[in-house]
Short mmCIF file of all heavy atoms in Angstrom, two decimals:
data_model
loop_
_atom_site.label_atom_id
_atom_site.label_comp_id
_atom_site.label_asym_id
_atom_site.label_seq_id
_atom_site.Cartn_x
_atom_site.Cartn_y
_atom_site.Cartn_z
N PRO A 449 -15.04 71.72 43.08
CA PRO A 449 -14.42 72.34 41.89
C PRO A 449 -15.48 72.72 40.85
O PRO A 449 -15.33 73.73 40.16
CB PRO A 449 -13.49 71.24 41.36
CG PRO A 449 -13.17 70.40 42.55
CD PRO A 449 -14.41 70.42 43.40
N GLU A 450 -16.52 71.90 40.74
CA GLU A 450 -17.60 72.18 39.78
C GLU A 450 -18.28 73.51 40.11
O GLU A 450 -18.54 74.33 39.23
CB GLU A 450 -18.62 71.04 39.80
CG GLU A 450 -19.63 71.07 38.66
CD GLU A 450 -19.00 70.90 37.29
OE1 GLU A 450 -18.03 70.14 37.13
OE2 GLU A 450 -19.50 71.57 36.35
N GLN A 451 -18.56 73.73 41.40
CA GLN A 451 -19.22 74.97 41.84
C GLN A 451 -18.30 76.18 41.67
O GLN A 451 -18.78 77.31 41.53
CB GLN A 451 -19.64 74.86 43.31
CG GLN A 451 -20.81 73.92 43.56
CD GLN A 451 -21.05 73.76 45.06
OE1 GLN A 451 -20.21 73.23 45.78
NE2 GLN A 451 -22.19 74.23 45.53
N LEU A 452 -16.99 75.93 41.71
CA LEU A 452 -16.01 77.03 41.66
C LEU A 452 -15.42 77.24 40.26
O LEU A 452 -14.43 77.97 40.10
CB LEU A 452 -14.88 76.75 42.65
CG LEU A 452 -15.28 76.80 44.13
CD1 LEU A 452 -14.18 76.20 44.99
CD2 LEU A 452 -15.59 78.23 44.57
N LYS A 453 -16.01 76.61 39.25
CA LYS A 453 -15.51 76.76 37.87
C LYS A 453 -15.37 78.23 37.50
O LYS A 453 -16.27 79.04 37.74
CB LYS A 453 -16.49 76.10 36.89
CG LYS A 453 -16.08 74.73 36.43
CD LYS A 453 -17.05 74.25 35.37
CE LYS A 453 -16.62 72.91 34.80
NZ LYS A 453 -17.62 72.40 33.85
N GLY A 454 -14.23 78.58 36.90
CA GLY A 454 -14.02 79.95 36.43
C GLY A 454 -13.73 80.94 37.54
O GLY A 454 -13.67 82.15 37.29
N LYS A 455 -13.53 80.46 38.76
CA LYS A 455 -13.30 81.36 39.90
C LYS A 455 -11.83 81.33 40.36
O LYS A 455 -11.17 80.29 40.28
CB LYS A 455 -14.19 80.98 41.08
CG LYS A 455 -15.66 81.31 40.86
CD LYS A 455 -15.88 82.82 40.80
CE LYS A 455 -17.33 83.18 40.58
NZ LYS A 455 -17.50 84.63 40.35
N ILE A 456 -11.37 82.47 40.87
CA ILE A 456 -10.02 82.58 41.44
C ILE A 456 -10.17 82.83 42.93
O ILE A 456 -10.85 83.77 43.35
CB ILE A 456 -9.23 83.70 40.75
CG1 ILE A 456 -8.98 83.32 39.28
CG2 ILE A 456 -7.91 83.96 41.47
CD1 ILE A 456 -8.33 84.39 38.43
N LEU A 457 -9.55 81.95 43.75
CA LEU A 457 -9.61 82.06 45.21
C LEU A 457 -8.29 82.61 45.71
O LEU A 457 -7.23 82.35 45.12
CB LEU A 457 -9.84 80.68 45.85
CG LEU A 457 -11.23 80.05 45.76
CD1 LEU A 457 -11.59 79.65 44.34
CD2 LEU A 457 -11.29 78.82 46.66
N VAL A 458 -8.34 83.35 46.80
CA VAL A 458 -7.12 83.87 47.41
C VAL A 458 -6.85 83.12 48.71
O VAL A 458 -7.75 82.96 49.54
CB VAL A 458 -7.23 85.39 47.70
CG1 VAL A 458 -5.99 85.89 48.44
CG2 VAL A 458 -7.43 86.16 46.40
N LYS A 459 -5.61 82.63 48.86
CA LYS A 459 -5.17 82.02 50.12
C LYS A 459 -4.26 83.03 50.82
O LYS A 459 -3.31 83.55 50.23
CB LYS A 459 -4.39 80.73 49.84
CG LYS A 459 -3.72 80.15 51.07
CD LYS A 459 -2.53 79.29 50.68
CE LYS A 459 -1.60 79.06 51.84
NZ LYS A 459 -0.75 80.18 52.21
N GLY A 460 -4.59 83.32 52.07
CA GLY A 460 -3.77 84.27 52.81
C GLY A 460 -4.28 84.45 54.21
O GLY A 460 -5.17 83.74 54.69
N LYS A 461 -3.70 85.42 54.92
CA LYS A 461 -4.11 85.72 56.29
C LYS A 461 -5.47 86.41 56.29
O LYS A 461 -5.81 87.12 55.33
CB LYS A 461 -3.07 86.62 56.95
CG LYS A 461 -1.75 85.93 57.25
CD LYS A 461 -1.92 84.93 58.38
CE LYS A 461 -0.64 84.21 58.70
NZ LYS A 461 -0.81 83.25 59.78
N LYS A 462 -6.23 86.20 57.40
CA LYS A 462 -7.53 86.85 57.53
C LYS A 462 -7.64 87.42 58.94
O LYS A 462 -7.15 86.82 59.91
CB LYS A 462 -8.65 85.84 57.28
CG LYS A 462 -10.00 86.48 57.03
CD LYS A 462 -10.95 85.49 56.37
CE LYS A 462 -12.32 86.09 56.12
NZ LYS A 462 -12.31 87.17 55.13
N LEU A 463 -8.25 88.59 59.06
CA LEU A 463 -8.42 89.23 60.37
C LEU A 463 -9.22 88.33 61.28
O LEU A 463 -10.21 87.72 60.87
CB LEU A 463 -9.12 90.59 60.23
CG LEU A 463 -8.31 91.66 59.47
CD1 LEU A 463 -9.15 92.90 59.26
CD2 LEU A 463 -7.02 91.99 60.19
N SER A 464 -8.81 88.24 62.56
CA SER A 464 -9.42 87.27 63.49
C SER A 464 -10.89 87.53 63.70
O SER A 464 -11.67 86.63 63.94
CB SER A 464 -8.69 87.28 64.83
OG SER A 464 -8.75 88.57 65.39
N ARG A 465 -11.32 88.79 63.63
CA ARG A 465 -12.72 89.09 63.86
C ARG A 465 -13.56 88.94 62.59
O ARG A 465 -14.70 89.35 62.53
CB ARG A 465 -12.87 90.48 64.47
CG ARG A 465 -12.69 90.46 66.00
CD ARG A 465 -12.71 91.84 66.58
NE ARG A 465 -11.38 92.44 66.55
CZ ARG A 465 -11.12 93.67 67.01
NH1 ARG A 465 -12.10 94.40 67.52
NH2 ARG A 465 -9.91 94.15 66.97
N GLN A 466 -12.93 88.36 61.56
CA GLN A 466 -13.69 88.04 60.35
C GLN A 466 -13.61 86.54 60.09
O GLN A 466 -13.57 86.09 58.96
CB GLN A 466 -13.10 88.79 59.15
CG GLN A 466 -13.31 90.28 59.20
CD GLN A 466 -12.78 90.91 57.92
OE1 GLN A 466 -11.65 90.65 57.51
NE2 GLN A 466 -13.60 91.71 57.28
N GLU A 467 -13.58 85.78 61.16
CA GLU A 467 -13.38 84.33 61.06
C GLU A 467 -14.36 83.66 60.11
O GLU A 467 -14.00 82.82 59.32
CB GLU A 467 -13.53 83.70 62.45
CG GLU A 467 -12.34 83.93 63.36
CD GLU A 467 -11.24 82.93 63.08
OE1 GLU A 467 -11.51 81.73 63.04
OE2 GLU A 467 -10.09 83.36 62.91
N ASP A 468 -15.63 84.00 60.26
CA ASP A 468 -16.68 83.32 59.50
C ASP A 468 -16.54 83.69 58.02
O ASP A 468 -16.50 84.87 57.68
CB ASP A 468 -18.05 83.75 60.02
CG ASP A 468 -19.16 82.88 59.46
OD1 ASP A 468 -19.35 82.95 58.24
OD2 ASP A 468 -19.82 82.16 60.24
N PRO A 469 -16.47 82.68 57.10
CA PRO A 469 -16.27 83.02 55.69
C PRO A 469 -17.41 83.84 55.11
O PRO A 469 -17.25 84.50 54.10
CB PRO A 469 -16.15 81.66 54.99
CG PRO A 469 -16.77 80.68 55.90
CD PRO A 469 -16.58 81.21 57.30
N SER A 470 -18.56 83.79 55.75
CA SER A 470 -19.68 84.57 55.23
C SER A 470 -19.56 86.03 55.60
O SER A 470 -20.23 86.89 55.05
CB SER A 470 -21.00 84.04 55.80
OG SER A 470 -21.05 84.28 57.20
N GLY A 471 -18.68 86.33 56.59
CA GLY A 471 -18.48 87.70 57.02
C GLY A 471 -19.52 88.20 58.00
O GLY A 471 -19.47 89.32 58.48
N THR A 472 -20.49 87.34 58.35
CA THR A 472 -21.60 87.80 59.20
C THR A 472 -21.15 88.07 60.62
O THR A 472 -21.74 88.88 61.32
CB THR A 472 -22.73 86.76 59.22
OG1 THR A 472 -22.16 85.49 59.58
CG2 THR A 472 -23.39 86.65 57.87
N ASN A 473 -20.08 87.38 61.08
CA ASN A 473 -19.62 87.60 62.45
C ASN A 473 -18.48 88.63 62.53
O ASN A 473 -17.91 88.87 63.55
CB ASN A 473 -19.10 86.29 63.07
CG ASN A 473 -20.23 85.27 63.15
OD1 ASN A 473 -21.39 85.64 63.19
ND2 ASN A 473 -19.87 83.99 63.16
N GLY A 474 -18.13 89.19 61.38
CA GLY A 474 -16.97 90.09 61.36
C GLY A 474 -17.31 91.49 61.84
O GLY A 474 -18.46 91.92 61.79
#
Side-chain angles (χ1 to χ4, degrees):
E450 192 63 37
Q451 288 173 296
L452 293 167
K453 260 186 176 175
K455 289 293 180 187
I456 294 174
L457 286 68
V458 176
K459 171 204 162 285
K461 290 290 180 180
K462 195 162 179 67
L463 294 174
S464 60
R465 276 175 273 180
Q466 291 184 310
E467 284 277 310
D468 191 295
S470 67
T472 53
N473 298 335

